[in-house]
Amino acid sequence: MGADVGETTGGRTRWRVFGLVLLVGVFGVGLMFTGLSQGAIAASFAVAGTSYKASADRLDAQGVVQYGSVDRSADQAHPVLVNGFRKAKLDNFCQSIVVPGLPAVGDITVKIAAPGGMSADNLVLGIEEVTGDITLNNVEIGRDAGTMDKGPNGAIGDAGTFGIQADSTQITGLRQVAWSTTASTLKLNQVQIKASVGRDECF
């Protein structure tokens, strides 16, 4: 599964390293936030043609689901692992996106930093890649993605496909590349937003 299982006891599973197959959960705030008053997304949607990077020292979340899907830009489909959280809190959050090749300027980086942390309700992300150390509590691996019931309302996959859900998760040293983010509520503390010439990404 692209991961080394280090410990499994009493409904508690730890992974130290995990790759593109088991990309359990993470966060991010898109440069364009989508507020969903009735919950989270259930299917893929159109995205801009640029992915973004995000990092946090630690993520604590409740109500966790994960399943495969596709985000689509104007000219390409992007396979993603959808990660959903009913509630999430991230310490020392950072997100960056590079806009390449602007006339007379070249590359620019737009960075959003929240050293005071970020919190979110009904957070759903389309993840391309993520690394970190993770703990899942009371986890179900291999559940039918169409029957998951612990995540945000509407955050379920296609019936008969592979899914993961858990009561809660903790991730430290979070680093991710993602295509999309939606949430019903996002709060960033001590937020700092800046644009700079060149590449000045979160990692």
Side-chain angles (χ1 to χ4, degrees):
M1 291 175 55
D4 295 329
V5 177
E7 175 183 349
T8 304
T9 57
R12 199 173 161 87
T13 303
R14 289 182 182 274
W15 283 271
R16 275 295 179 188
V17 179
F18 52 102
L20 294 178
V21 177
L22 186 61
L23 303 180
V24 185
V26 238
F27 24 69
V29 184
L31 293 179
M32 300 292 288
F33 298 136
T34 304
L36 302 177
S37 61
Q38 298 302 317
I41 59 169
S44 62
F45 58 95
V47 297
T50 304
S51 61
Y52 60 87
K53 292 183 177 181
S55 64
D57 290 347
R58 180 180 172 92
L59 164 76
D60 289 282
Q62 294 80 45
V64 181
V65 296
Q66 179 188 89
Y67 54 90
S69 187
V70 176
D71 282 349
R72 293 177 174 85
S73 60
D75 60 354
Q76 191 174 358
H78 308 284
V80 296
L81 196 67
V82 174
N83 293 273
F85 310 96
R86 286 189 185 271
K87 289 187 175 293
K89 181 179 179 181
L90 297 96
D91 297 336
N92 191 25
F93 174 77
C94 176
Q95 178 181 295
S96 60
I97 184 169
V98 174
V99 182
L102 292 180
V105 178
D107 297 345
I108 67 167
T109 301
V110 179
K111 182 183 286 186
I112 302 171
M118 184 189 84
S119 59
D121 296 329
N122 298 315
L123 181 64
V124 179
L125 303 108
I127 303 295
E128 176 182 306
E129 181 179 356
V130 63
T131 61
D133 294 337
I134 185 170
T135 300
L136 291 167
N137 304 303
N138 196 22
V139 61
E140 300 173 59
I141 299 175
R143 178 163 175 150
D144 187 324
T147 69
M148 292 187 296
D149 56 9
K150 291 186 177 181
N153 293 334
I156 59 175
D158 292 333
T161 61
F162 185 91
I164 297 172
Q165 69 174 7
D167 285 350
S168 61
T169 187
Q170 299 82 42
I171 303 173
T172 57
L174 189 101
R175 303 289 184 270
Q176 77 158 22
V177 179
W179 285 97
S180 61
T181 302
T182 67
S184 60
T185 304
L186 287 169
K187 180 180 180 182
L188 294 93
N189 297 317
Q190 302 173 8
V191 65
Q192 304 163 3
I193 303 173
K194 69 174 183 178
S196 57
V197 176
R199 290 180 175 264
D200 181 26
E201 298 175 274
C202 295
F203 61 93

